Amino acid sequence: MLSKLLISLTIVALLLGAGCIEMDKEVISTVDFSSEARFVNLTRLGSATVQLEDVNISFGSLSAGEASSYKEFDAGSRELVVTFSEGDGTADITMSMVFATEKKSSVFILGDTSGTKFINAIEHYTFDAPPDLNANWTHSDSAIVRVLNGLHDFEEITVSVVGDNSEFTADALSYGKASSYNMIFPGDYAITVAINDSTIMADTLALLAGARYTVAIYDEVKGFIDD
């Protein structure tokens, strides 16, 4: 009988010991999951007023070819409302757009009266370098560049970016798609846009050291400095 009692007391002691909580341990804090984004109006629909209604954030009224500043907000599915200054209101948009946790992006608004397209082009993690370059991309003697096909009239284009000391080409770039980033030396670059080896647009941009760019091809060729 005594041995059974000792065994029972031992089991109870073990159970009580296993259930103890050490109150002096550091408590893990919660994490706020956020995103950062800006909007760029590349439409033929006049100024675009952009809002994330469910988080009460406005990116202002953006004229054609204008980019907003970056803003931080809670990540996840957000209610996007865009109204255009031209037309009868049929082009105005209310939609859900998903913004990834800890990602910074530029949302390019493309289109005309026939329809609009929204391109959420990720730039990088908010705390890190762009995902397709190593952490040492910020060399003082280099820049990084990607190109975006926002040209409404063509489904696929080839974009050549040619300078004195470096160059790259984005082949068969679909409408609404952005190329990967490319590291180049700073300087003046000839930007040539071609369809089936026939040039349809050309311009020159000065690309500076220590910066990264999205060169948008739409009704013109324009470089936007990414954050």
Side-chain angles (χ1 to χ4, degrees):
M1 176 67 87
L2 181 60
S3 60
K4 288 184 178 179
L5 178 61
L6 289 174
I7 292 171
S8 298
L9 290 174
T10 302
I11 292 172
V12 170
L14 288 173
L15 290 174
L16 289 174
C20 290
I21 300 175
E22 296 185 42
M23 300 304 294
D24 59 344
K25 291 294 185 181
E26 182 179 354
V27 177
I28 298 174
S29 60
T30 59
V31 178
D32 294 325
F33 295 107
S34 63
S35 294
E36 290 184 48
R38 66 174 174 180
F39 284 78
V40 186
N41 178 16
L42 302 184
T43 71
R44 295 171 177 167
L45 297 166
S47 297
T49 300
V50 181
Q51 299 180 86
L52 296 180
E53 287 220 333
D54 57 326
V55 288
N56 196 29
I57 291 179
S58 174
F59 292 84
S61 179
L62 309 175
S63 59
E66 183 180 3
S68 73
S69 58
Y70 292 90
K71 293 183 182 292
E72 183 177 351
F73 48 88
D74 291 341
S77 180
R78 305 269 66 93
E79 184 181 5
L80 174 64
V81 178
V82 182
T83 56
F84 298 99
S85 61
E86 294 184 4
D88 59 4
T90 57
D92 296 346
I93 296 290
T94 298
M95 60 180 286
S96 294
M97 177 171 285
V98 176
F99 294 90
T101 299
E102 301 298 347
K103 293 289 184 68
K104 179 171 284 189
S105 63
S106 290
V107 180
F108 294 91
I109 311 172
L110 313 177
D112 53 22
T113 54
S114 64
T116 52
K117 193 177 185 72
F118 292 78
I119 309 304
N120 191 350
I122 301 295
E123 294 175 15
H124 59 94
Y125 283 103
T126 55
F127 51 81
D128 203 355
D132 52 344
L133 290 172
N134 62 44
N136 297 318
W137 72 268
T138 51
H139 296 301
S140 60
D141 62 346
S142 65
I144 61 172
V145 183
R146 65 179 176 182
V147 294
L148 170 80
N149 178 8
L151 204 55
H152 313 77
D153 303 320
F154 300 95
E155 283 298 319
E156 200 170 77
I157 60 177
T158 295
V159 183
S160 299
V161 181
V162 180
D164 291 336
N165 299 306
S166 55
E167 63 183 71
F168 71 90
T169 299
D171 290 310
L173 191 63
S174 300
Y175 173 57
K177 298 295 185 181
S179 73
S180 60
Y181 282 107
N182 293 265
M183 187 176 291
I184 62 170
F185 291 110
D188 292 331
Y189 281 80
I191 315 294
T192 305
V193 183
I195 302 289
N196 297 325
D197 297 325
S198 178
T199 299
I200 60 170
M201 187 183 298
D203 208 339
T204 301
L205 292 179
L207 302 175
L208 305 179
R212 56 181 172 196
Y213 298 86
T214 297
V215 175
I217 313 298
Y218 60 115
D219 288 341
E220 59 181 284
V221 177
K222 188 168 184 176
F224 295 92
I225 295 179
D226 298 339
D227 196 5

